[in-house]
Amino acid sequence: MKPTVEQALKEIERVVGAEHLLTDTATLSRYSVNMLATADILPAAVVRPTSTEELQQVLKIANTCKTPVWTLSGGQNRGYGMACAATPGTLIIDLKRMNRILEVNVELAYALVEPGVTFAQLYRYLRDNDIPLWMDVPSGSPEGSCLGNITERGAGYTPLGEKFLFSCGMEVVLADGQVLRTGTGTLPNSQTWQVFKWGYGPSLDGLFTQSNFGIVTKAGFWLMPRPPAYEPLAVTMDDPEAVYKAVEILRPLKLNMVIPNGACVTHVRKALGLTACWGEGKNILPRVGRRFDYPAETLKALKETYALGEWNFAGALYGLPETVRTYRGIVEDAFRSALPGCRFLSAEEQAASPYWRAREKAMRGEPLWEFDMSDWEGKAGALWISPVAPVTNEAVEQQIRIAEETYAKYGFHYAAELILGTGRDLHHIIWLLFDRSDAEERRRAELCEREMYDRYCEVGYLPYRTGLSTGDYLMRKLGPFRDICHDLKQLFDPNNILSPGKSGIDLANRS
Ligand code: ADP
C-alpha cells in the first residue's frame, strides 16, 4: 500500500521530536502567503531539523513515502514570493535551527555557515568579535539567510555583491539522503574548501542554485578586509534622461575597477520608497501614496527635503587614502564633464538624508530593512521584476521604455534601481507595489508581471530571478533548457520530492 503523508510525518516526528514538526493552523498560515497567488498555498506541515544528519533522515523518509518538501533557510524571500512553497500540501523544511557560523577565517577572509545564519547574525558576530572583515548584504531583510542568498544568486552592494560568484564550496543533501561536497570539498580532509572554488572534475555548485536538485546545508563565501579608507559617493541628477549618460559614464569606471562595488543608479520613486523605511523618512509614508503615485508638487518637495534627484547614483571607493582620493577625482571628472548638471552630495548632506545614510551603510555591509514600504496596512503586495541588461545606454533606454509602457497599460508607476555588477551587466530591479487585498488589482499585477517577462524575453533580456508563481511561466519560454533541467531532475530526484516547481522545474506532471 502507498505510504501516506501522515505516515511520513509520524516517522519524521520520531527523528526531529514533536516540537519541531509543526502542524497547527497558525504556523501553517505563516508559511502560506505567496504575494500573487489568488489563494494561500497551505503546506502540510513544517519541519525544523537541526543538523545535516537529521535532514538526511527526513529526506530518506520523504523520498520513500514520495512526500514533496519545500526548502527555506531564512524565509525572507521578499519580492520573490516570501516563506511559501510553489504548490500546496508540501512539507516545508525550515532550516532556521541550523544556524551555526562554522568558521570565520580572518587571515584568508572567508566564512563557512549553515543555512539558518542570517545577515544580522554574521554582522553582529564580526562586529562583536572585532574582526576586521566586511561581509556583503543584499537589500531587503537582515533576517535573510547568507546561504539562501547564494543559492538564489542574489546581488548586493559591496565589491562582493555577486553572491554566487564569491561563494566557495557547498555541502548538499540529495533527495535520497546522500551528502555531496562541491569544489575541493570532495576530498574529505580538504585544506582548500573555502579558498579554491573549482576543485577537480566538473564544477557542480551552479546546479544547486535556483534549482531543486538538492538542499544546501553548508556554504562558504568570501569576505573583504576592512579597507583603510572608504568613501561613499552620492550623486543626484535632475534630468530624467540622465540615467542613460550615467550608464555610459559608469561602464569604464566599473570595468577598470575604479568603482568596485555593486553601485546603483536609483529612480526617485524607488529612492523615496526606501526613504520611507528609515528614521525620519517614515514620516513621508502617509504622503507617499501606496503605489508611488505622487503629485508633481509633492514629488518636488520630497526631492528637496531628502536630497534626491530624478536619478541618484550611489557607489563607493575602497583602499588606501591616497588611492581613494585619486579615484574620487577621476569619478568627479567623469560625471561633471558628461553631466554638468549633476550634484555630488557632501558627507553632511548624505548624513542628513535617510536614503543616503542607508546606502552608505549597505556599501560597507551593514544589513538594513527595506520593506516597511511594502507593509502598509498589512496588505501590500511587493514584486520585483528583474531583467538583466548590458551596461549600454541603448539597452537601458529600451528596458526602461518597456517598463514604463507596460506599467502605464496596467495602471502602475515605474520605480526601479539599476545595480551595476562587473561593468558589463546590470540588474534592472523594478518594483511593483499593489494592494493584495484587492483581487482586481492583484490580477492586474500578475498580468503586468507576465507581460513584462514576455516583452523582455522577446527582445532578448532574461530576468536573473523570478517570483514563486512565475517560474513555470518563464521556464516554458526556454525550450531545450527546460528539457535538460527535467532530465537532470530525473537524475537527482526521480520522485520529484524536492521543491516541485522551483524555478519552473517539474512543477507537477510535465506537459
Ligand atoms: P532568504 O531568507 O535568504 O530570502 P529563503 O529561505 O526565503 O531565503 O529562500 C528563498 C528560496 O531559496 C527558497 O524558496 C528556496 O527555493 C531556495 N533555498 C533556500 N534555502 C535553500 C537551501 N538551503 N538549499 C537550496 N535551496 C534553498
Side-chain angles (χ1 to χ4, degrees), residues 55 70-78 80-86 93-96 114-119 138-139 141 143-153 170-173 208-218 465 468 499 502-503:
L55 178 66
W70 188 274
T71 312
L72 293 177
S73 288
Q76 299 286 321
N77 199 19
R78 288 163 188 252
Y80 298 106
M82 307 297 284
C84 183
I93 299 185
D94 184 337
L95 299 169
K96 267 201 193 85
E114 291 187 325
V117 172
T118 65
F119 294 105
S139 62
S141 159
E143 295 309 314
S145 153
C146 299
L147 179 153
N149 209 247
I150 291 169
T151 65
E152 289 299 271
R153 302 201 295 262
M170 290 176 173
E171 176 189 85
V172 187
V173 182
F208 303 103
T209 64
Q210 293 192 8
S211 77
N212 48 13
F213 303 150
I215 296 182
V216 182
T217 44
K218 292 186 180 76
R465 184 174 176 183
L468 286 178
S499 302
K502 168 71 188 170
S503 298

Short mmCIF file of all heavy atoms in Angstrom, two decimals, residues 55 70-78 80-86 93-96 114-119 138-139 141 143-153 170-173 208-218 465 468 499 502-503, ligand 1:
data_model
loop_
_atom_site.label_atom_id
_atom_site.label_comp_id
_atom_site.label_asym_id
_atom_site.label_seq_id
_atom_site.Cartn_x
_atom_site.Cartn_y
_atom_site.Cartn_z
N LEU A 55 18.52 16.10 8.71
CA LEU A 55 17.93 16.38 7.39
C LEU A 55 18.05 15.16 6.47
O LEU A 55 17.10 14.84 5.74
CB LEU A 55 18.62 17.60 6.75
CG LEU A 55 18.11 17.96 5.36
CD1 LEU A 55 16.65 18.42 5.39
CD2 LEU A 55 18.98 19.04 4.71
N TRP A 70 9.54 21.44 0.63
CA TRP A 70 10.00 22.75 0.11
C TRP A 70 11.00 23.33 1.10
O TRP A 70 10.72 23.36 2.30
CB TRP A 70 8.81 23.70 -0.07
CG TRP A 70 9.23 24.96 -0.77
CD1 TRP A 70 9.75 26.08 -0.19
CD2 TRP A 70 9.20 25.22 -2.18
NE1 TRP A 70 10.05 27.02 -1.16
CE2 TRP A 70 9.72 26.52 -2.38
CE3 TRP A 70 8.79 24.49 -3.29
CZ2 TRP A 70 9.83 27.10 -3.65
CZ3 TRP A 70 8.90 25.07 -4.56
CH2 TRP A 70 9.41 26.36 -4.73
N THR A 71 12.14 23.80 0.59
CA THR A 71 13.23 24.26 1.47
C THR A 71 13.17 25.77 1.72
O THR A 71 13.02 26.54 0.77
CB THR A 71 14.59 23.97 0.79
OG1 THR A 71 14.58 22.64 0.33
CG2 THR A 71 15.73 24.19 1.76
N LEU A 72 13.34 26.15 2.97
CA LEU A 72 13.51 27.57 3.32
C LEU A 72 14.70 27.69 4.25
O LEU A 72 14.88 26.84 5.13
CB LEU A 72 12.29 28.11 4.04
CG LEU A 72 10.99 28.22 3.26
CD1 LEU A 72 9.88 28.70 4.18
CD2 LEU A 72 11.15 29.18 2.08
N SER A 73 15.47 28.75 4.08
CA SER A 73 16.60 28.96 5.00
C SER A 73 16.31 30.12 5.94
O SER A 73 16.22 29.94 7.14
CB SER A 73 17.89 29.19 4.22
OG SER A 73 18.30 27.97 3.64
N GLY A 74 16.17 31.34 5.39
CA GLY A 74 15.80 32.47 6.23
C GLY A 74 14.30 32.76 6.13
O GLY A 74 13.72 33.43 6.98
N GLY A 75 13.69 32.30 5.04
CA GLY A 75 12.26 32.52 4.83
C GLY A 75 11.91 33.98 4.57
O GLY A 75 10.81 34.43 4.82
N GLN A 76 12.87 34.73 4.00
CA GLN A 76 12.63 36.17 3.77
C GLN A 76 12.61 36.50 2.28
O GLN A 76 12.99 37.59 1.90
CB GLN A 76 13.75 36.98 4.43
CG GLN A 76 13.86 36.81 5.92
CD GLN A 76 12.75 37.53 6.64
OE1 GLN A 76 12.36 38.63 6.25
NE2 GLN A 76 12.24 36.92 7.69
N ASN A 77 12.17 35.60 1.49
CA ASN A 77 12.27 35.75 0.03
C ASN A 77 11.37 36.88 -0.48
O ASN A 77 10.50 36.68 -1.31
CB ASN A 77 11.86 34.41 -0.57
CG ASN A 77 12.32 34.22 -1.99
OD1 ASN A 77 13.23 34.91 -2.46
ND2 ASN A 77 11.67 33.30 -2.69
N ARG A 78 11.63 38.09 0.04
CA ARG A 78 10.72 39.21 -0.24
C ARG A 78 10.86 39.70 -1.67
O ARG A 78 11.96 39.76 -2.19
CB ARG A 78 11.00 40.35 0.74
CG ARG A 78 10.54 40.00 2.12
CD ARG A 78 11.16 40.88 3.17
NE ARG A 78 10.82 40.35 4.47
CZ ARG A 78 9.94 40.91 5.31
NH1 ARG A 78 9.35 42.03 4.99
NH2 ARG A 78 9.69 40.34 6.45
N TYR A 80 10.08 38.11 -4.12
CA TYR A 80 10.07 36.94 -5.00
C TYR A 80 9.19 35.82 -4.45
O TYR A 80 9.30 34.69 -4.88
CB TYR A 80 11.50 36.44 -5.22
CG TYR A 80 12.37 37.47 -5.90
CD1 TYR A 80 13.35 38.15 -5.20
CD2 TYR A 80 12.20 37.77 -7.25
CE1 TYR A 80 14.14 39.12 -5.81
CE2 TYR A 80 12.99 38.73 -7.88
CZ TYR A 80 13.95 39.40 -7.15
OH TYR A 80 14.72 40.35 -7.77
N GLY A 81 8.38 36.10 -3.44
CA GLY A 81 7.42 35.07 -3.03
C GLY A 81 7.21 34.89 -1.55
O GLY A 81 6.22 34.33 -1.14
N MET A 82 8.14 35.26 -0.69
CA MET A 82 8.02 35.07 0.77
C MET A 82 8.25 33.60 1.18
O MET A 82 8.66 32.79 0.38
CB MET A 82 6.67 35.56 1.29
CG MET A 82 6.32 36.97 0.90
SD MET A 82 7.45 38.20 1.56
CE MET A 82 6.89 38.26 3.27
N ALA A 83 7.92 33.29 2.46
CA ALA A 83 8.17 31.95 3.01
C ALA A 83 7.03 31.04 2.62
O ALA A 83 6.07 30.85 3.37
CB ALA A 83 8.29 32.04 4.52
N CYS A 84 7.13 30.47 1.45
CA CYS A 84 5.98 29.76 0.90
C CYS A 84 6.48 28.80 -0.18
O CYS A 84 7.53 29.02 -0.77
CB CYS A 84 5.06 30.82 0.29
SG CYS A 84 3.55 30.18 -0.38
N ALA A 85 5.73 27.72 -0.41
CA ALA A 85 6.08 26.78 -1.48
C ALA A 85 5.37 27.22 -2.77
O ALA A 85 4.51 28.09 -2.75
CB ALA A 85 5.62 25.38 -1.09
N ALA A 86 5.74 26.58 -3.89
CA ALA A 86 5.06 26.90 -5.15
C ALA A 86 3.71 26.20 -5.24
O ALA A 86 2.82 26.64 -5.95
CB ALA A 86 5.95 26.52 -6.34
N ILE A 93 10.50 22.47 4.79
CA ILE A 93 11.70 22.21 5.61
C ILE A 93 12.32 23.57 5.92
O ILE A 93 12.87 24.23 5.04
CB ILE A 93 12.71 21.32 4.87
CG1 ILE A 93 12.06 19.96 4.55
CG2 ILE A 93 13.98 21.15 5.69
CD1 ILE A 93 13.00 18.96 3.92
N ASP A 94 12.16 23.99 7.16
CA ASP A 94 12.68 25.29 7.57
C ASP A 94 14.01 25.04 8.28
O ASP A 94 14.06 24.37 9.31
CB ASP A 94 11.66 25.96 8.50
CG ASP A 94 12.10 27.36 8.88
OD1 ASP A 94 13.32 27.64 8.81
OD2 ASP A 94 11.24 28.19 9.25
N LEU A 95 15.08 25.60 7.69
CA LEU A 95 16.43 25.29 8.20
C LEU A 95 16.94 26.32 9.21
O LEU A 95 18.14 26.38 9.48
CB LEU A 95 17.40 25.16 7.01
CG LEU A 95 17.04 24.04 6.03
CD1 LEU A 95 17.87 24.13 4.74
CD2 LEU A 95 17.25 22.66 6.66
N LYS A 96 16.02 27.10 9.76
CA LYS A 96 16.43 28.18 10.70
C LYS A 96 17.24 27.67 11.88
O LYS A 96 18.09 28.38 12.41
CB LYS A 96 15.17 28.86 11.24
CG LYS A 96 14.75 30.05 10.45
CD LYS A 96 13.86 30.96 11.30
CE LYS A 96 13.18 31.97 10.42
NZ LYS A 96 11.96 31.49 9.80
N GLU A 114 25.98 27.64 8.14
CA GLU A 114 24.81 26.81 7.90
C GLU A 114 23.67 27.69 7.35
O GLU A 114 23.74 28.92 7.42
CB GLU A 114 24.38 26.14 9.21
CG GLU A 114 25.40 25.10 9.68
CD GLU A 114 24.90 24.31 10.89
OE1 GLU A 114 24.18 24.88 11.74
OE2 GLU A 114 25.22 23.13 10.97
N PRO A 115 22.59 27.05 6.85
CA PRO A 115 21.53 27.83 6.17
C PRO A 115 20.83 28.86 7.05
O PRO A 115 20.37 29.89 6.55
CB PRO A 115 20.53 26.75 5.72
CG PRO A 115 21.26 25.46 5.79
CD PRO A 115 22.36 25.59 6.77
N GLY A 116 20.72 28.58 8.35
CA GLY A 116 19.94 29.49 9.20
C GLY A 116 20.70 30.74 9.62
O GLY A 116 20.13 31.60 10.30
N VAL A 117 21.96 30.85 9.24
CA VAL A 117 22.74 32.04 9.65
C VAL A 117 22.24 33.26 8.86
O VAL A 117 22.23 33.25 7.63
CB VAL A 117 24.26 31.82 9.41
CG1 VAL A 117 25.03 33.11 9.64
CG2 VAL A 117 24.76 30.70 10.30
N THR A 118 21.82 34.29 9.61
CA THR A 118 21.25 35.47 8.94
C THR A 118 22.34 36.53 8.74
O THR A 118 23.39 36.49 9.39
CB THR A 118 20.12 36.09 9.78
OG1 THR A 118 20.70 36.59 11.01
CG2 THR A 118 19.04 35.08 10.11
N PHE A 119 22.01 37.50 7.90
CA PHE A 119 22.95 38.61 7.69
C PHE A 119 23.18 39.35 9.00
O PHE A 119 24.31 39.70 9.33
CB PHE A 119 22.41 39.57 6.62
CG PHE A 119 22.36 38.94 5.26
CD1 PHE A 119 21.15 38.54 4.72
CD2 PHE A 119 23.52 38.72 4.55
CE1 PHE A 119 21.10 37.92 3.47
CE2 PHE A 119 23.48 38.11 3.30
CZ PHE A 119 22.27 37.71 2.76
N PRO A 138 22.43 42.01 0.91
CA PRO A 138 21.50 42.44 -0.14
C PRO A 138 20.60 43.52 0.43
O PRO A 138 20.70 43.86 1.62
CB PRO A 138 20.69 41.17 -0.39
CG PRO A 138 20.66 40.49 0.94
CD PRO A 138 21.91 40.88 1.68
N SER A 139 19.69 44.02 -0.37
CA SER A 139 18.67 44.90 0.19
C SER A 139 17.63 43.97 0.82
O SER A 139 17.72 42.76 0.68
CB SER A 139 18.02 45.73 -0.90
OG SER A 139 17.41 44.85 -1.80
N SER A 141 16.11 42.32 3.88
CA SER A 141 15.88 42.00 5.28
C SER A 141 17.15 41.47 5.94
O SER A 141 17.77 40.53 5.42
CB SER A 141 14.79 40.93 5.34
OG SER A 141 14.89 40.26 6.57
N GLU A 143 17.16 39.63 8.31
CA GLU A 143 16.85 38.26 8.75
C GLU A 143 16.95 37.26 7.61
O GLU A 143 16.66 36.08 7.78
CB GLU A 143 15.46 38.21 9.40
CG GLU A 143 15.37 39.02 10.70
CD GLU A 143 16.48 38.68 11.69
OE1 GLU A 143 16.74 37.49 11.90
OE2 GLU A 143 17.13 39.61 12.22
N GLY A 144 17.33 37.70 6.41
CA GLY A 144 17.53 36.78 5.30
C GLY A 144 18.75 35.90 5.57
O GLY A 144 19.58 36.21 6.43
N SER A 145 18.84 34.81 4.82
CA SER A 145 19.91 33.83 5.04
C SER A 145 21.10 34.13 4.12
O SER A 145 20.93 34.32 2.92
CB SER A 145 19.34 32.44 4.73
OG SER A 145 20.35 31.57 4.31
N CYS A 146 22.31 34.13 4.70
CA CYS A 146 23.52 34.33 3.88
C CYS A 146 23.60 33.24 2.82
O CYS A 146 23.88 33.50 1.65
CB CYS A 146 24.78 34.26 4.75
SG CYS A 146 24.87 35.48 6.05
N LEU A 147 23.32 32.01 3.23
CA LEU A 147 23.40 30.86 2.30
C LEU A 147 22.26 30.92 1.27
O LEU A 147 22.46 30.68 0.08
CB LEU A 147 23.37 29.58 3.12
CG LEU A 147 23.43 28.23 2.41
CD1 LEU A 147 24.05 27.18 3.33
CD2 LEU A 147 22.07 27.75 1.93
N GLY A 148 21.04 31.25 1.75
CA GLY A 148 19.89 31.31 0.85
C GLY A 148 20.11 32.33 -0.26
O GLY A 148 19.69 32.13 -1.40
N ASN A 149 20.79 33.41 0.06
CA ASN A 149 21.03 34.45 -0.95
C ASN A 149 22.06 33.98 -1.98
O ASN A 149 22.04 34.39 -3.13
CB ASN A 149 21.48 35.74 -0.26
CG ASN A 149 21.08 36.96 -1.07
OD1 ASN A 149 21.94 37.65 -1.58
ND2 ASN A 149 19.79 37.20 -1.22
N ILE A 150 22.94 33.06 -1.56
CA ILE A 150 23.87 32.46 -2.54
C ILE A 150 23.10 31.52 -3.45
O ILE A 150 23.24 31.56 -4.67
CB ILE A 150 25.01 31.70 -1.82
CG1 ILE A 150 25.92 32.68 -1.09
CG2 ILE A 150 25.81 30.85 -2.81
CD1 ILE A 150 26.90 32.02 -0.15
N THR A 151 22.23 30.67 -2.85
CA THR A 151 21.52 29.72 -3.71
C THR A 151 20.56 30.45 -4.66
O THR A 151 20.23 29.93 -5.72
CB THR A 151 20.72 28.65 -2.90
OG1 THR A 151 19.69 29.29 -2.17
CG2 THR A 151 21.61 27.86 -1.98
N GLU A 152 20.11 31.64 -4.30
CA GLU A 152 19.24 32.40 -5.20
C GLU A 152 20.02 33.31 -6.15
O GLU A 152 19.44 34.02 -6.95
CB GLU A 152 18.24 33.23 -4.40
CG GLU A 152 17.16 32.41 -3.72
CD GLU A 152 16.32 31.62 -4.71
OE1 GLU A 152 15.31 32.14 -5.20
OE2 GLU A 152 16.70 30.46 -5.00
N ARG A 153 21.35 33.33 -6.01
CA ARG A 153 22.25 34.17 -6.80
C ARG A 153 21.89 35.66 -6.67
O ARG A 153 21.75 36.40 -7.65
CB ARG A 153 22.26 33.73 -8.28
CG ARG A 153 22.68 32.27 -8.47
CD ARG A 153 23.17 31.99 -9.87
NE ARG A 153 22.17 32.12 -10.89
CZ ARG A 153 21.48 31.11 -11.42
NH1 ARG A 153 21.70 29.88 -10.99
NH2 ARG A 153 20.59 31.33 -12.36
N MET A 170 30.28 24.08 -1.21
CA MET A 170 28.95 23.79 -0.64
C MET A 170 28.91 22.37 -0.11
O MET A 170 29.60 21.49 -0.64
CB MET A 170 27.87 23.85 -1.73
CG MET A 170 27.56 25.22 -2.26
SD MET A 170 26.36 25.05 -3.61
CE MET A 170 26.00 26.77 -3.91
N GLU A 171 28.06 22.16 0.89
CA GLU A 171 27.65 20.80 1.26
C GLU A 171 26.18 20.70 0.88
O GLU A 171 25.39 21.60 1.19
CB GLU A 171 27.81 20.59 2.77
CG GLU A 171 27.31 19.22 3.23
CD GLU A 171 27.27 19.11 4.75
OE1 GLU A 171 26.25 19.55 5.35
OE2 GLU A 171 28.25 18.62 5.33
N VAL A 172 25.82 19.60 0.21
CA VAL A 172 24.45 19.46 -0.31
C VAL A 172 23.90 18.10 0.08
O VAL A 172 24.61 17.09 -0.04
CB VAL A 172 24.45 19.55 -1.86
CG1 VAL A 172 23.03 19.58 -2.40
CG2 VAL A 172 25.23 20.77 -2.34
N VAL A 173 22.65 18.07 0.55
CA VAL A 173 21.98 16.78 0.78
C VAL A 173 21.06 16.52 -0.41
O VAL A 173 20.26 17.38 -0.79
CB VAL A 173 21.19 16.78 2.10
CG1 VAL A 173 20.56 15.41 2.33
CG2 VAL A 173 22.10 17.12 3.28
N PHE A 208 23.13 23.68 -7.92
CA PHE A 208 22.32 23.78 -6.70
C PHE A 208 21.88 25.21 -6.41
O PHE A 208 21.48 25.53 -5.30
CB PHE A 208 23.10 23.15 -5.53
CG PHE A 208 23.44 21.71 -5.83
CD1 PHE A 208 24.73 21.35 -6.21
CD2 PHE A 208 22.45 20.74 -5.83
CE1 PHE A 208 25.03 20.03 -6.55
CE2 PHE A 208 22.74 19.42 -6.17
CZ PHE A 208 24.03 19.07 -6.53
N THR A 209 21.98 26.07 -7.43
CA THR A 209 21.45 27.43 -7.29
C THR A 209 20.19 27.55 -8.15
O THR A 209 20.14 26.98 -9.25
CB THR A 209 22.48 28.50 -7.72
OG1 THR A 209 22.76 28.34 -9.12
CG2 THR A 209 23.78 28.37 -6.94
N GLN A 210 19.21 28.25 -7.65
CA GLN A 210 17.90 28.44 -8.34
C GLN A 210 17.39 27.11 -8.91
O GLN A 210 16.88 27.07 -10.04
CB GLN A 210 18.02 29.49 -9.45
CG GLN A 210 18.28 30.88 -8.92
CD GLN A 210 18.11 31.97 -9.98
OE1 GLN A 210 17.67 31.73 -11.09
NE2 GLN A 210 18.46 33.19 -9.61
N SER A 211 17.55 26.05 -8.15
CA SER A 211 17.13 24.75 -8.67
C SER A 211 16.46 23.95 -7.56
O SER A 211 16.28 24.44 -6.45
CB SER A 211 18.33 23.97 -9.20
OG SER A 211 19.05 23.42 -8.13
N ASN A 212 16.14 22.70 -7.87
CA ASN A 212 15.57 21.81 -6.86
C ASN A 212 16.24 20.44 -6.95
O ASN A 212 15.59 19.42 -6.88
CB ASN A 212 14.05 21.71 -7.01
CG ASN A 212 13.65 21.45 -8.45
OD1 ASN A 212 14.49 21.10 -9.28
ND2 ASN A 212 12.36 21.59 -8.75
N PHE A 213 17.57 20.46 -7.13
CA PHE A 213 18.31 19.22 -7.28
C PHE A 213 18.91 18.75 -5.95
O PHE A 213 19.44 17.64 -5.86
CB PHE A 213 19.44 19.38 -8.31
CG PHE A 213 18.97 19.81 -9.68
CD1 PHE A 213 19.77 20.57 -10.51
CD2 PHE A 213 17.70 19.45 -10.15
CE1 PHE A 213 19.36 20.97 -11.77
CE2 PHE A 213 17.26 19.84 -11.42
CZ PHE A 213 18.09 20.61 -12.23
N GLY A 214 18.89 19.60 -4.93
CA GLY A 214 19.47 19.22 -3.64
C GLY A 214 19.20 20.32 -2.63
O GLY A 214 18.70 21.39 -2.99
N ILE A 215 19.51 20.04 -1.36
CA ILE A 215 19.34 21.07 -0.32
C ILE A 215 20.73 21.42 0.21
O ILE A 215 21.48 20.54 0.66
CB ILE A 215 18.44 20.55 0.82
CG1 ILE A 215 17.04 20.28 0.28
CG2 ILE A 215 18.42 21.55 1.97
CD1 ILE A 215 16.04 19.80 1.32
N VAL A 216 21.08 22.67 0.11
CA VAL A 216 22.42 23.11 0.52
C VAL A 216 22.43 23.29 2.04
O VAL A 216 21.60 24.00 2.60
CB VAL A 216 22.79 24.43 -0.19
CG1 VAL A 216 24.20 24.87 0.20
CG2 VAL A 216 22.69 24.26 -1.71
N THR A 217 23.37 22.61 2.70
CA THR A 217 23.40 22.65 4.17
C THR A 217 24.62 23.39 4.72
O THR A 217 24.68 23.68 5.92
CB THR A 217 23.37 21.22 4.73
OG1 THR A 217 24.26 20.42 3.96
CG2 THR A 217 21.97 20.65 4.67
N LYS A 218 25.60 23.64 3.88
CA LYS A 218 26.73 24.50 4.28
C LYS A 218 27.17 25.27 3.04
O LYS A 218 27.11 24.72 1.93
CB LYS A 218 27.94 23.67 4.76
CG LYS A 218 27.74 22.93 6.06
CD LYS A 218 29.05 22.26 6.52
CE LYS A 218 28.86 21.51 7.83
NZ LYS A 218 28.15 20.24 7.72
N ARG A 465 16.10 36.27 -11.90
CA ARG A 465 15.41 35.54 -10.84
C ARG A 465 13.93 35.84 -11.00
O ARG A 465 13.57 36.88 -11.53
CB ARG A 465 15.92 36.14 -9.52
CG ARG A 465 15.48 35.55 -8.25
CD ARG A 465 16.28 36.26 -7.16
NE ARG A 465 15.89 35.88 -5.84
CZ ARG A 465 16.41 36.41 -4.73
NH1 ARG A 465 17.33 37.36 -4.81
NH2 ARG A 465 16.02 35.99 -3.55
N LEU A 468 7.86 33.07 -7.06
CA LEU A 468 7.43 31.67 -6.99
C LEU A 468 6.38 31.34 -8.04
O LEU A 468 6.37 30.26 -8.60
CB LEU A 468 6.79 31.41 -5.62
CG LEU A 468 7.74 31.31 -4.45
CD1 LEU A 468 6.94 31.10 -3.18
CD2 LEU A 468 8.70 30.16 -4.68
N SER A 499 11.19 20.48 -3.63
CA SER A 499 10.66 21.76 -4.13
C SER A 499 10.10 21.68 -5.56
O SER A 499 10.60 22.36 -6.46
CB SER A 499 11.75 22.83 -4.07
OG SER A 499 12.22 22.98 -2.76
N LYS A 502 10.15 24.65 -8.29
CA LYS A 502 11.16 25.70 -8.06
C LYS A 502 11.79 26.10 -9.39
O LYS A 502 12.19 25.23 -10.17
CB LYS A 502 12.22 25.15 -7.09
CG LYS A 502 13.45 25.99 -6.96
CD LYS A 502 13.16 27.27 -6.22
CE LYS A 502 14.36 28.21 -6.27
NZ LYS A 502 14.02 29.55 -5.78
N SER A 503 11.86 27.38 -9.67
CA SER A 503 12.34 27.91 -10.95
C SER A 503 11.64 27.25 -12.14
O SER A 503 12.22 27.10 -13.22
CB SER A 503 13.86 27.73 -11.09
OG SER A 503 14.54 28.43 -10.10
P1 ADP B 1 16.13 34.28 2.23
O1 ADP B 1 15.68 34.23 3.64
O2 ADP B 1 17.64 34.40 2.09
O3 ADP B 1 15.41 35.30 1.40
P2 ADP B 1 14.62 31.89 1.76
O4 ADP B 1 14.89 30.99 2.90
O5 ADP B 1 13.33 32.64 1.76
O6 ADP B 1 15.83 32.87 1.55
O7 ADP B 1 14.76 31.03 0.45
C1 ADP B 1 14.49 31.56 -0.81
C2 ADP B 1 14.43 30.42 -1.80
O8 ADP B 1 15.74 29.85 -1.93
C3 ADP B 1 13.55 29.28 -1.32
O9 ADP B 1 12.24 29.40 -1.81
C4 ADP B 1 14.24 28.05 -1.88
O10 ADP B 1 13.73 27.78 -3.17
C5 ADP B 1 15.69 28.45 -2.01
N1 ADP B 1 16.52 27.92 -0.89
C6 ADP B 1 16.55 28.41 0.36
N2 ADP B 1 17.39 27.71 1.12
C7 ADP B 1 17.91 26.73 0.35
C8 ADP B 1 18.83 25.68 0.59
N3 ADP B 1 19.39 25.53 1.78
N4 ADP B 1 19.11 24.83 -0.43
C9 ADP B 1 18.54 25.00 -1.64
N5 ADP B 1 17.66 25.99 -1.93
C10 ADP B 1 17.34 26.85 -0.95
#
